[in-house]
Amino acid sequence: MTNHEGRPEVQASMLTMVGLSHRNAPLAIRERFAIAADELPAVREAVVDQFGAGAIVATCNRLELYVPGNHAPNALADFLADAAAVGPSLGERYLLPRRDEEAVSHLYAVAAGIDSMVVGESEILGQVRGAFSATVAAGADNALLSRLFHTAIRLGRRARSETAIGHGALSISSIAAQQARALVPDLARASVLVIGAGEAGRLAAAALVDHGVGSITVSNRTASRAEALAEELGGRTVPYESVGAALAAADVVIAATDAPEPVLNAGRVASALVRREGGPMLIVDIGVPRAAEPAVAAVPGVTYRDIDDLQEVASRHAQARADEVAKVEALIQAETASFLEWWEQLRIVPMISALTERAEYMRRTELDRTLRRFDATPEQRDQLDAMTRALVRRILHDPIATLRQHGDREVYLDAVRELFRLDDEASPDGDGAA
């Protein structure tokens, strides 16, 4: 059975998902739901305890939980809200639920980069791959999640190889570098301070180096990571506790931390500006939670941009890629249909197997009873065996064909289960109570 768009319908829920992103939640909400990277392993273990299996996709702009089976969305929302230490009412308001086909298509769109703030960006595909690797490491995967994420990753690659969605694509990090180039025309003479040596900070700093920035200083809570990034970029490091002093020498600050509390406050930034004798400073804050408290934006001489301020550039980029988005959506539609067909067969095949095994058991039992009553020759035994096999095959042909055609409708599976007593604990040859 298919829906009005020609895709198979799935009646029994196979997948429940809740999530929020830049599309439905402002930065002030997203940062409240941000779960620190070092806390995620424990959260994934808790997913196993509560749901048996489940995958979390957590990036600077989204938090999503995919759980196999039919679950109350509020249960998933409450779980993520508790993991992020926010109230359940906030979770139920912002963590949007999706099921089955919608959930599958959504993950495909995420992996393909068309649900990102910057359409076509490539970082998300690695993040989806990393999310599933972490799911496997936590023992939180199962057959459905494995198929779902592997097909999502494959689709993400196809989207970038079969369409131009990723050609010349920007990223949040490259847009941050663009902002610096636009507001600090002479980057060759500019000094850049990068706070946070994670992937976002690394990419933004690398983009600035490509734009010819003169000097880069890196600071990170883990000194070894700061040293590795500084060596890669040809820069230097400053201890994390000395960021305040380093601000005074910075023309551009790229803040990309995942610290739970702001690293930059208005007093620290104002003091740095005094020491640089009022020279302007650009702060591009791409951290979630934000690395700077809101009052920093009001400090005279500071131009402040947070991740949502970069949306205007990202939106113009998305409009220019509308045709490619349509091509990617066609790939998603086809891949989603293929996934649903796989799921239906996954549900139907065990039922068909159980039905044929029960019929075969009954055939063999009755054949043995019959043959014990007279002295049949080997040839007669073979003939009776072949005849009963053919008879059972013909009897089961129509029920099995109907299951293959309508197995996506739970009523057919229930009917076969009931009519042939496949769940009956009585003996398989039908000797149980009527």
Side-chain angles (χ1 to χ4, degrees), residues 102-423:
E102 187 182 6
V104 172
S105 295
H106 175 73
L107 181 61
Y108 287 168
V110 170
I114 64 170
D115 194 66
S116 298
M117 179 181 285
V118 182
V119 172
E121 56 97 357
S122 60
E123 295 169 29
I124 186 62
L125 183 56
Q127 291 167 329
V128 170
R129 186 186 299 110
F132 184 62
S133 295
T135 299
V136 173
D141 61 314
N142 70 354
L144 184 141
L145 288 176
S146 180
R147 179 85 175 198
L148 175 64
F149 275 81
H150 279 119
T151 53
I153 293 164
R154 181 181 66 198
L155 176 66
R157 293 195 193 104
R158 287 184 62 203
R160 290 165 177 84
S161 65
E162 298 178 21
T163 77
I165 195 68
H167 292 183
L170 300 176
S171 67
I172 289 297
S173 300
S174 63
I175 291 176
Q178 281 189 6
Q179 291 288 297
R181 187 172 59 174
L183 293 169
V184 184
D186 191 3
L187 278 179
R189 302 180 66 177
S191 177
V192 175
L193 171 63
V194 180
I195 306 175
E199 186 68 4
R202 186 186 71 78
L203 291 171
L208 284 167
V209 169
D210 289 342
H211 288 320
V213 72
S215 169
I216 287 212
T217 300
V218 182
S219 185
N220 191 68
R221 282 183 293 178
T222 304
S224 59
R225 295 187 68 183
E227 290 165 1
L229 180 56
E231 182 177 357
E232 176 186 340
L233 300 173
R236 65 184 187 90
T237 64
V238 64
Y240 194 67
E241 58 274 12
S242 302
V243 162
L247 281 174
D251 301 299
V252 178
V253 178
I254 301 292
T257 72
D258 62 356
E261 300 295 333
V263 176
L264 303 178
N265 57 48
R268 173 177 277 185
V269 173
S271 175
L273 285 172
V274 169
R275 279 179 282 166
R276 58 189 284 118
E277 298 180 350
M281 177 187 294
L282 169 64
I283 299 176
V284 184
D285 187 349
I286 54 178
V288 181
R290 283 170 286 192
E293 64 178 20
V296 165
V299 175
V302 170
T303 300
Y304 176 80
R305 299 284 187 270
D306 64 28
I307 199 167
D308 277 0
D309 291 327
L310 308 183
Q311 179 67 55
E312 182 181 349
V313 177
S315 296
R316 293 198 301 269
H317 182 71
Q319 291 168 6
R321 287 172 130 53
D323 291 344
E324 299 308 314
V325 169
K327 294 175 186 177
V328 174
E329 287 174 339
L331 293 177
I332 291 172
Q333 185 178 29
E335 191 68 41
T336 300
S338 176
F339 184 89
L340 295 179
E341 289 169 5
W342 168 82
W343 169 248
E344 288 168 16
Q345 291 305 310
L346 194 67
R347 298 169 61 232
I348 296 165
V349 168
M351 178 69 71
I352 292 174
S353 239
L355 179 59
T356 54
E357 285 174 9
R358 185 174 182 84
E360 174 60 12
Y361 183 93
M362 294 171 70
R363 182 193 75 82
R364 289 294 316 169
T365 301
E366 293 305 319
L367 180 62
D368 290 345
R369 284 176 180 173
T370 299
L371 291 175
R372 283 198 299 267
R373 294 173 187 161
F374 63 91
D375 187 18
T377 67
E379 183 180 357
Q380 289 171 328
R381 287 175 176 271
D382 289 344
Q383 289 174 343
L384 284 171
D385 185 71
M387 181 195 71
T388 54
R389 284 182 187 278
L391 181 61
V392 168
R393 190 163 53 247
R394 293 194 64 181
I395 290 172
L396 293 183
H397 177 272
D398 286 344
I400 289 175
T402 300
L403 274 177
R404 292 193 187 280
Q405 182 179 1
H406 300 294
D408 56 320
R409 296 176 62 183
E410 191 69 23
V411 63
Y412 282 88
L413 299 179
D414 287 342
V416 169
R417 192 179 292 112
E418 180 73 19
L419 288 171
F420 291 91
R421 296 186 177 183
L422 297 183
D423 293 333

Side-chain angles (χ1 to χ4, degrees), residues 89-103:
S89 60
L90 209 60
E92 290 169 12
R93 178 179 177 185
Y94 285 101
L95 291 165
L96 301 182
R98 295 178 176 88
R99 288 189 186 277
D100 302 328
E101 179 180 356
E102 187 182 6

